[in-house]
Amino acid sequence: MASPYRLTLRRPDDWHVHLRDGAMLHAVVPATARVFARAIVMPNLRPPITTVEAAVAYRDRILAAVPEGLDFTPLMTAYLTDDLAPEVLERGHRQGVITAAKLYPANATTNSAAGVTDLERIDPVLEAMERLGMPLLIHGEVTDPEVDIFDREAVFIERHLIPLRRRHPGLKVVLEHITTEQAVDYVSGSDRRLAATITPHHLHLNRNAMFAGGLRSDFYCLPVVKRETHRRALVRAATSGEPCFFLGTDSAPHPRAGKESACGCAGIFNAMHALESYAAIFEQEECLDRLEPFASEFGPRFYGLPLNEQSVTLERSEQTVPQRLDPPFSAPGDETSLEVDQAPLLFHAGETLLWRVVTSEQRQSS
Ligand code: NCD
Ligand code: ZN
């Protein structure tokens, strides 16, 4: 029998991930660290990461959850509030602790209550970031309740992003987890200081997924998945070979009780099969050769970081995705716990994926 087709890529990075804390952190870090060399770690903990000390401590907790033998570098972000002092970012940058800062419009999404209420208030911080060359990562949705939830990204671009980039033309900006044709067009037509991450779930799902046979909170995330025309635009962008579009999973695990609720949490946990999920899209579009630049080159180039030297190999062999993340869910000395029945559901649960990651070459420790 012929051996299965294999595809070896430069080891990728995840430019947007939620690793959480405590038992959930220990449960989910291995999935990310197995495949990705680095990840931009979101700061929306409770309380959020707003100091250099908190970023260092969180980085240490993440590193303690990386399984032995895996080489993984968490890249830390600071959570912008109305009052965060520019000095925090300056010091975090100088000490090599803070890679980027995250802008959540207040109350736009999970744990964003302490976010920014008025973008003009943070102009001094944005000026400092412009000087430092530190990227601003934006959750691009307006919070205005008058605006339809499916229009919140497009309205954010017009109302806030365009004026912000006019005020700070030298600022590097990543519009995170884009979901619309309007975002694709705006980012594609902009200069090289603007980029966007695209998630696996926004490439696979349209909004029908949330209502297939009933109300399906497992497919609810923010920004919410949109109509099929938008999904198609995202697929075209991700597979276009344009360097302004790169990989960011937005893997966002929640305990089952958080999803199975009358007011379910936003977030999809996709870290277990993220690369396979992207590969499925690139294969459907017959451009698997563009997976490597999207996953492993455009992100580091935008951030001004070196490309990874290690590799990962995908094999074209079927795998059926299990329902839930497997235990163990805690580490020695960890006081929090995650019950087995609270394990997050996996994205693509029950589906058959045509690719699987078979090896991930780790850097020799020196
Ligand atoms: C994220 C989370 O759960 O922290 N949820 C989500 O739906 N993506 C927050 C975010 O990135 O919006
Ligand atoms: Zn996110």
Side-chain angles (χ1 to χ4, degrees):
M1 203 174 83
S3 55
Y5 181 68
R6 287 186 162 202
L7 183 66
T8 295
L9 312 177
R10 188 185 287 283
R11 197 163 166 225
D13 304 298
D14 184 349
W15 298 98
H16 182 128
V17 69
H18 299 268
L19 297 178
R20 312 302 194 204
D21 216 341
M24 186 65 96
L25 172 76
H26 285 275
V28 302
V29 160
T32 294
R34 185 173 75 96
V35 173
F36 298 101
R38 297 170 289 200
I40 283 279
V41 181
M42 288 297 123
N44 61 333
L45 302 185
R46 265 179 278 177
I49 304 293
T50 54
T51 65
V52 179
E53 292 69 28
V56 169
Y58 186 32
R59 185 173 64 182
D60 289 346
R61 295 198 297 282
I62 295 168
L63 289 172
V66 175
E68 197 139 337
L70 295 188
D71 181 60
F72 174 69
T73 305
L75 302 172
M76 309 312 290
T77 60
Y79 179 115
L80 297 180
T81 65
D82 283 346
D83 312 308
L84 187 106
E87 293 74 41
V88 173
L89 301 184
E90 282 158 1
R91 192 157 67 82
H93 176 79
R94 205 170 48 243
Q95 296 180 0
V97 175
I98 292 177
T99 301
K102 177 70 191 252
L103 168 66
Y104 291 103
N107 301 314
T109 186
T110 310
N111 296 346
S112 64
V116 174
T117 59
D118 176 0
L119 284 181
E120 300 202 9
R121 283 186 68 154
I122 62 162
D123 273 335
V125 169
L126 301 183
E127 274 160 29
M129 293 177 66
E130 209 171 339
R131 270 198 313 278
L132 298 170
M134 179 184 280
L136 174 70
L137 316 182
I138 300 185
H139 183 107
E141 288 190 288
V142 292
T143 53
D144 181 347
E146 301 286 305
V147 177
D148 188 281
I149 189 165
F150 292 99
D151 297 332
R152 287 181 189 174
E153 181 175 277
V155 173
F156 182 90
I157 293 170
E158 294 297 326
R159 260 192 216 171
H160 300 295
L161 186 55
I162 293 174
L164 180 146
R165 294 192 65 241
R166 268 200 207 114
R167 293 199 300 279
H168 302 281
L171 185 63
K172 278 197 206 177
V173 174
V174 184
L175 188 54
E176 299 286 7
H177 40 52
I178 56 168
T179 61
T180 57
E181 191 168 18
Q182 288 92 331
V184 167
D185 290 346
Y186 177 62
V187 173
S188 174
S190 297
D191 60 49
R192 294 170 69 93
R193 280 185 285 274
L194 179 65
T197 51
I198 304 182
T199 77
H201 42 280
H202 289 103
L203 291 173
H204 280 273
L205 305 176
N206 67 34
R207 64 192 192 179
N208 290 344
M210 286 185 295
F211 308 102
L215 191 54
R216 308 279 294 268
S217 65
D218 288 317
F219 300 118
Y220 172 57
C221 63
L222 286 169
V224 70
V225 290
K226 308 293 192 301
R227 319 178 151 264
E228 178 64 8
T229 47
H230 295 291
R231 188 191 73 82
R232 288 293 324 156
L234 296 171
V235 169
R236 279 196 302 277
T239 59
S240 66
E242 283 190 67
C244 55
F245 299 112
F246 51 82
L247 185 156
T249 64
D250 195 19
S251 182
H254 289 279
R256 285 311 290 158
K259 295 297 281 182
E260 290 174 353
S261 152
C263 188
C265 299
I268 293 178
F269 175 58
N270 61 31
M272 284 292 284
H273 301 90
L275 194 58
E276 291 93 329
S277 179
Y278 285 113
I281 296 289
F282 281 73
E283 181 174 43
Q284 276 162 25
E285 297 302 301
E286 299 180 10
C287 58
L288 273 169
D289 57 320
R290 292 192 176 158
L291 179 60
E292 181 174 50
F294 173 80
S296 316
E297 294 172 11
F298 297 154
R301 292 228 167 90
F302 183 85
Y303 274 80
L305 293 170
L307 304 190
N308 297 314
E309 291 302 328
Q310 314 100 300
S311 61
V312 294
T313 299
L314 286 152
E315 183 176 277
R316 201 172 186 295
S317 60
E318 290 186 359
Q319 60 170 323
T320 301
V321 176
Q323 293 294 315
R324 305 279 194 93
L325 187 61
D326 281 336
F329 298 143
S330 64
D334 181 17
E335 282 143 37
T336 62
S337 69
L338 179 70
E339 300 304 321
V340 172
D341 67 351
Q342 292 301 315
L345 185 92
L346 305 187
F347 182 48
H348 294 300
E351 293 173 32
T352 299
L353 290 171
L354 299 180
W355 290 91
R356 74 164 75 223
V357 173
V358 285
T359 61
S360 173
E361 176 203 82
Q362 307 288 320
R363 190 185 296 139
Q364 296 296 312
S365 44
S366 45

